Amino acid sequence: MPDPATPPADRPRQGRLAAAASGVVSVVAFLAAAEVAAIFVGAQSSPLVGVGSAVIDLAPPGAKTLMVGLFGTGDKAALFALMGILMVAIAALAGLAERSRAPLGRVILIVGAALAVLAVRTRADASDFDVVPSVVGGIVAILLLRALIGRSFRWDAARANQAAEERGGDLVEVAPPLRAPGVERRAFLGLALVGAAAAVVVGAGARVITAAQVNAASLRQAIRLPKAKVTAPAVPAGASLDVDGVSPYVTPTADFYRIDTALSVPQVDPSSWKLEITGLVDKPLTLTWDDLVALPLEEHLLTLSCVSNEVGGDLIGNALWLGYPIRSLLARVGADSSADMVLSRSVDGFTASTPLSVLTDPGTEAILAIGMNGEPLPLEHGFPVRMVVPGLYGYVSATKWVTSMKVTRFADETAYWTTRGYSAKAPVKLESRIDTPASGSTVSPGSGGTVPLAGVAWQPHTGVSAVHVRIDGGPWLEADLADSVSDDTWRQWVYRWDAPAGEHRVQVRATSKDGTVQSSKNVSPAPNGAEGWDEITVSVKR
Ligand SMILES: Nc1nc2c(c(=O)[nH]1)N[C@H]1C(S)=C(S)[C@@H](COP(=O)(O)O)O[C@H]1N2
Ligand SMILES: [Mo]
């Protein structure tokens, strides 16, 4: 490698651009080299994945709520975009720093690589070996940055010498002798472009190879679910109202909300999947996929909802789950009487704390699920195995990609969201939602001369006994409730409104089977679920 020349006294814009580009190419090469190493070390060792996941875990809960709010469930694409922009900026800065105060640019790369090492090493289940890709990437990036900046200095110097020759001034001495500016420029651009192209092609190729190592999607395709020993009761016709725009009683899988902290969907091979039940138990248990599918499985329709769901929000769904009762597994291991919690853990390190009493209650259909609406769990809903517990928000119960359950005590262990300010226990609150008409819309009465006001109401496990609507702050009017197969699901409701022309405000509130009337007080989702009445404005044209 030619010795980098001293930068010429004049620093033209071209030179700065070349330096910034050198930084960016070096960082792209960092990622590419690391991806190549990750083929051999394992997908979990990729700094791209490791750093992204660490950012998600370290982000304050408020920032996460903001991301979900801003980008909906596409928050991960947004996170990737933000990370990309930030990385390009830092890379350009490293290039500029290497040009004006070498070795500062290399120091920035070393710090970046060190942070990647830290992020990857502190992931759940990481080993020392997992830092190799970040180290390899760091070395490649440093060598390339030095080579590129050296080339760009030679180009600068060749330009400066040409100008000096024209002026008759002093020439910059560079060994080996400088060639014409055009030749030095081509040497720089050649290295930069070949480096960038090679990094992009090799990096993307390596990523594809790593991702294909466990192709959970094709493993899932090959699965044929066993028949349930206990089938869910048939959905009565009366569970579905004939009203356009009301949420279907059973949520189609494609429309089922998705919330988790996983940056890339965990790829779990069922044949190597295991569930370990440990902690305060008489006989710890390890369950394999083959063990699980051989058990007498049950089907249950259960409504799952997210603590982050705002009043009127759509982070809730109702699905048919196939799985094995968690209570039966706990009976097999024999939980100690001093325990009061089960800490479930996912392959990606997420944890949830579920009251032991809920999981052992004979009247609560908490299941270790492998099927959703008649198919294997979709990858993003926890393939191959997850938990679903009626009546509790997902973050304290519905661990996806679950691999262990530790019988323990609330006093001894803290789950993922509890360390971030959410409540350790979180039963789902009584809520109701107006699905139709859409707020702000204009409607005309249909057949029968009425406008159907309709939606869903829920308090899984407790059950909903009544729903009322109120127009323009008037008296509460009782809506018709659709059927449900059990108290563990939501219910549709409808009020056929003899609507007078004009602008109106419509509110809804539910009453639960334990007599509680849904509270009017607006409470935000953190730390244990939103409260308040859903409300729309609608204009009626007659
Ligand atoms: N492994 C893992 N499981 C998880 C989560 C997570 O972040 N990681 N999020 C929980 C939360 S907050 C909710 S609301 C439900 C959502 O399940 P779904 O995406 O299938 O709707 O999953 C739960 N299980
Ligand atoms: Mo959630």
Side-chain angles (χ1 to χ4, degrees), residues 257 259-260 305-309 315 393-396 417:
Y257 80 98
I259 291 286
D260 54 63
S305 66
C306 181
V307 69
S308 305
N309 198 29
L315 301 180
Y393 285 117
Y395 83 98
V396 289
W417 283 108

Side-chain angles (χ1 to χ4, degrees), residues 256-262 266 304-308 315 321 345-351 372 380-382 386-387 393-402 416-417:
F256 205 98
Y257 80 98
R258 174 194 171 191
I259 291 286
D260 54 63
T261 61
L304 176 62
S305 66
C306 181
V307 69
S308 305
L315 301 180
W321 307 95
R345 184 180 294 272
S346 156
V347 285
D348 66 355
F350 169 89
T351 51
M372 180 179 188
E380 62 274 22
H381 291 294
R386 75 172 304 171
M387 292 169 58
Y393 285 117
Y395 83 98
V396 289
S397 66
T399 303
K400 305 192 271 190
W401 314 288
V402 64
Y416 187 94
W417 283 108

Side-chain angles (χ1 to χ4, degrees), residues 1 33 97 129 172 180 331 365-366 442 495:
M1 185 175 35
F129 206 47
V172 182
E365 306 298 354
T442 302
Y495 182 82

Side-chain angles (χ1 to χ4, degrees), residues 41-107:
V41 184
Q44 76 290 346
S45 67
S46 155
L48 211 56
V49 174
V51 172
S53 305
V55 168
I56 290 182
D57 286 352
L58 294 174
K64 255 175 274 202
T65 313
L66 184 76
M67 292 274 266
V68 175
L70 286 179
F71 308 109
T73 327
D75 54 344
K76 269 151 219 158
L79 176 74
F80 264 130
L82 277 179
M83 270 171 60
I85 293 169
L86 201 69
M87 206 152 57
V88 167
I90 293 172
L93 201 76
L96 289 167
E98 185 66 15
R99 173 185 156 90
S100 56
R101 349 208 123 115
L104 187 57
R106 275 167 283 164
V107 171

Side-chain angles (χ1 to χ4, degrees), residues 73 115 158 172 176 204 211 263 300 327 329 335 352 359 367 453 456:
T73 327
L115 287 175
V172 182
L263 185 52
H300 296 283
R327 117 175 54 82
L329 291 174
L359 295 176
I367 54 176
L453 303 169
V456 280

Side-chain angles (χ1 to χ4, degrees), residues 43-323:
Q44 76 290 346
S45 67
S46 155
L48 211 56
V49 174
V51 172
S53 305
V55 168
I56 290 182
D57 286 352
L58 294 174
K64 255 175 274 202
T65 313
L66 184 76
M67 292 274 266
V68 175
L70 286 179
F71 308 109
T73 327
D75 54 344
K76 269 151 219 158
L79 176 74
F80 264 130
L82 277 179
M83 270 171 60
I85 293 169
L86 201 69
M87 206 152 57
V88 167
I90 293 172
L93 201 76
L96 289 167
E98 185 66 15
R99 173 185 156 90
S100 56
R101 349 208 123 115
L104 187 57
R106 275 167 283 164
V107 171
I108 292 175
L109 291 184
I110 290 171
V111 171
L115 287 175
V117 163
L118 198 70
V120 168
R121 186 64 191 87
T122 51
R123 298 311 303 153
D125 301 332
S127 75
D128 286 338
F129 206 47
D130 287 343
V131 308
V132 168
S134 302
V135 172
V136 169
I139 292 169
V140 168
I142 285 166
L143 293 177
L144 189 60
L145 182 65
R146 228 177 109 71
L148 281 166
I149 293 293
R151 286 274 168 219
S152 85
F153 278 162
R154 296 185 60 85
W155 173 21
D156 278 351
R159 236 178 13 242
N161 279 358
Q162 191 180 49
E165 249 166 25
E166 281 159 16
R167 282 200 314 267
D170 291 339
L171 298 190
V172 182
E173 296 282 338
V174 174
L178 278 176
R179 295 162 292 178
V183 180
E184 294 295 352
R185 186 190 70 202
R186 277 196 294 281
F188 169 76
L189 286 180
L191 184 60
L193 291 177
V194 169
V200 168
V201 171
V202 171
R207 186 85 218 126
V208 169
I209 293 174
T210 312
Q213 282 177 341
V214 176
N215 187 346
S218 68
L219 296 171
R220 174 178 179 273
Q221 288 276 301
I223 286 177
R224 295 207 47 225
L225 288 180
K227 285 249 172 309
K229 283 280 174 320
V230 176
T231 52
V235 174
S240 302
L241 297 169
D242 186 18
V243 178
D244 279 351
V246 72
S247 302
Y249 179 60
V250 179
T251 311
T253 305
D255 298 340
F256 205 98
Y257 80 98
R258 174 194 171 191
I259 291 286
D260 54 63
T261 61
L263 185 52
S264 58
V265 178
Q267 306 284 311
V268 181
D269 181 346
S271 69
S272 53
W273 174 86
K274 278 197 309 255
L275 177 75
E276 307 208 303
I277 307 183
T278 60
L280 302 168
V281 297
D282 299 335
K283 309 178 291 288
L285 175 71
T286 300
L287 198 73
T288 66
W289 172 260
D290 287 343
D291 296 339
L292 178 54
V293 295
L295 292 169
L297 303 185
E298 301 186 4
E299 267 178 353
H300 296 283
L301 260 176
L302 306 173
T303 293
L304 176 62
S305 66
C306 181
V307 69
S308 305
N309 198 29
E310 301 276 357
V311 172
D314 57 6
L315 301 180
I316 175 164
N318 186 37
L320 180 69
W321 307 95
L322 171 74

